[in-house]
Amino acid sequence: PGPVRAASQALSAALVRRGGLVGGRWVETAAAFPVQDPASGEELGRVSDCGAAEARAAVQAAHEAGAAWGRLPAKERSARLRRWYELMMENKEELARIITAENGKPLKEAQGEITYSASFLEWFAEEARRIYGDVIPASAKDRRVLVLKQPVGVAAIITPWNFPSAMITRKVGAALAAGCTVVVKPAEDTPLSALALGELANQAGIPAGVYNVVPCSRQQTAAVGEVLCTDPLVSKISFTGSTATGKILLKHAAGTVKRVSMELGGHAPFIVFDSANVDRAVAGALASKYRNSGQTCVCTNRFLVQKGIHDEFVEKFAKAIDKELHVGNGFDAKTTQGPLINEKAVEKVEKHIKDAVSQGASVVTGGKRHSLGKNFFEPTLLTNVTTKMLCTQEETFGPLAPVIRFETEAEAVAIANAANVGLAGYFYSQDPAQIWRVAEQLEVGMVGVNEGIISSAECPFGGVKESGLGREGSKYGIDEYLEIKYVCFGGL
């Protein structure tokens, strides 16, 4: 394919692919759907609109490739993953530009995502050689008891648009290291990143059928998703997205009792206690809330600030927002806040602000669409917020920071835990006893103590309650793709 352009920035023709990847071949379909730059609305190109037939073919290709890939020595799987990692780092700039073009996030953030994304291939390349079983002391003299760990089989990987590269490698790295094969269904807004990874997988020597991609439009998503969740050849589903969609996929998976791991919605609290270092808390708040314009599942959605330092925190936070954040096209070097993914996302932010203000909240800074275009919104800070407002009851997924004033530690923990989800939580304190108490009491899967950015390949990522099932990354992430087999060896 020829180069496509976004905001006058040419993308690499070598990495931009338009077809699905099935069994090592690039597959064109009769219909195609547009991929748009959220900053300008410009069409970046059209991508094959795969349907149920292509999804079934991809599952079949993954199944056929599975036996050989699973039997490869772990050292060989490790070497292929390592080479894929190296190719990602060699092509970091071009991969980042693809993310900025289709997702809108600032180029510097996109470059950070590629480094983060590649780190999962590096990590799981190393973990591939550490899939250890066990020898268990037997209860009888003539027996030996073994535990083997074996790949589950074909894994369906369904990923979101907000981290179009990292959400793939975090799953696929673990799956391939374990000896599984995969079929990836990327988000319809951001398929180019998944296809670029496919091109590099081919170059890295990942065998045909081991990594498959079926891009599709919103209209085809339900049909493709149903195939991936119901086909008996699929043994495992890994999904990142909304809680509502996750529940639908769980129902589909129940029919064939598939293994499932899910990273679903968040509603992260960010608590600032009176003992906190306020300047550090402001820096952490800025990073946690406004990364990717607030479009991350672990970004702060509710700020809880103790009354003793409330006014100081709000004043410094507002100054930092005005000084440090710059709205613009992601390809502009000064930009820290790109566009939201689409106008529907903007409308949700507007709805939350309007609801809060109607109930007595005050806009400290921001509060409206930015003049740059329909998908841009000003970084916004609200005070006088209560727990009855929409912005504290549901995930905004945008650049809105609502601040709730609280009096006691118990009150803050109760507010933080009053949600049916629990992905990440953050708090700032310099009281060691309080740190232990609150870290243990927060009903979330991940806690940042005096830190606003906590994700890394070495650490387990996942939530509790309706934020999902299972963990990704870390030494635990590979277990999601392994079956435990008990072998009793008798007659000895």
Side-chain angles (χ1 to χ4, degrees), residues 247-267:
K247 290 178 179 179
I248 294 170
L249 299 183
L250 278 170
K251 290 179 181 178
H252 283 313
T256 47
V257 196
K258 298 187 190 305
R259 285 276 294 275
V260 175
S261 57
M262 294 197 168
E263 189 255 289
L264 306 176
H267 191 36

Side-chain angles (χ1 to χ4, degrees), residues 32-153:
F33 66 99
V35 181
Q36 294 178 319
D37 173 6
S40 65
E42 178 183 354
E43 185 175 302
L44 303 174
R46 301 181 76 82
V47 171
S48 291
D49 194 4
C50 294
E54 288 78 19
R56 282 190 290 268
V59 169
Q60 183 66 38
H63 175 69
E64 291 173 358
W69 178 251
R71 284 196 301 265
L72 270 185
K75 184 176 181 179
E76 291 189 33
R77 292 199 303 272
S78 174
R80 309 283 177 93
L81 285 170
R82 178 75 192 187
R83 181 55 186 150
W84 197 5
Y85 156 76
E86 291 169 350
L87 286 170
M88 283 195 70
M89 295 308 294
E90 290 169 16
N91 291 273
K92 175 180 174 180
E93 295 304 315
E94 294 301 336
L95 291 169
R97 292 167 81 85
I98 290 172
I99 290 177
T100 295
E102 64 179 352
N103 169 279
K105 69 176 60 176
L107 188 57
K108 185 176 180 180
E109 280 194 29
Q111 292 164 345
E113 178 178 344
I114 294 302
T115 300
Y116 177 58
S117 176
S119 75
F120 288 104
L121 298 183
E122 180 186 36
W123 173 263
F124 285 114
E126 297 163 353
E127 288 298 291
R129 302 181 68 182
R130 289 188 272 273
I131 302 174
Y132 302 138
D134 290 296
V135 177
I136 301 173
S139 57
K141 291 188 297 183
D142 63 344
R143 294 181 180 180
R144 298 295 181 269
V145 176
L146 311 176
V147 173
L148 309 178
K149 292 184 179 180
Q150 297 179 312
V152 299

Side-chain angles (χ1 to χ4, degrees), residues 24 36 47 61 73 251 314 353 369 382 391 414 484 488:
Q36 294 178 319
V47 171
K251 290 179 181 178
V314 169
I353 293 172
R369 296 192 188 210
L382 299 181
C391 60
I484 292 176
C488 181

Side-chain angles (χ1 to χ4, degrees), residues 297-350:
C297 51
V298 294
C299 80
T300 299
N301 209 64
R302 303 168 287 160
F303 287 90
L304 288 69
V305 184
Q306 200 159 13
K307 63 178 182 178
I309 48 92
H310 174 276
D311 293 350
E312 179 187 0
F313 175 85
V314 169
E315 181 182 354
K316 289 184 174 180
F317 195 15
K319 287 181 179 177
I321 290 169
D322 292 338
K323 180 181 178 182
E324 303 292 337
L325 302 184
H326 304 280
V327 178
N329 188 295
F331 285 109
D332 186 333
K334 296 184 298 183
T335 295
T336 65
Q337 303 289 286
L340 274 66
I341 191 65
N342 52 41
E343 193 169 13
K344 184 178 178 181
V346 173
E347 290 169 354
K348 186 174 186 180
V349 179
E350 287 181 320

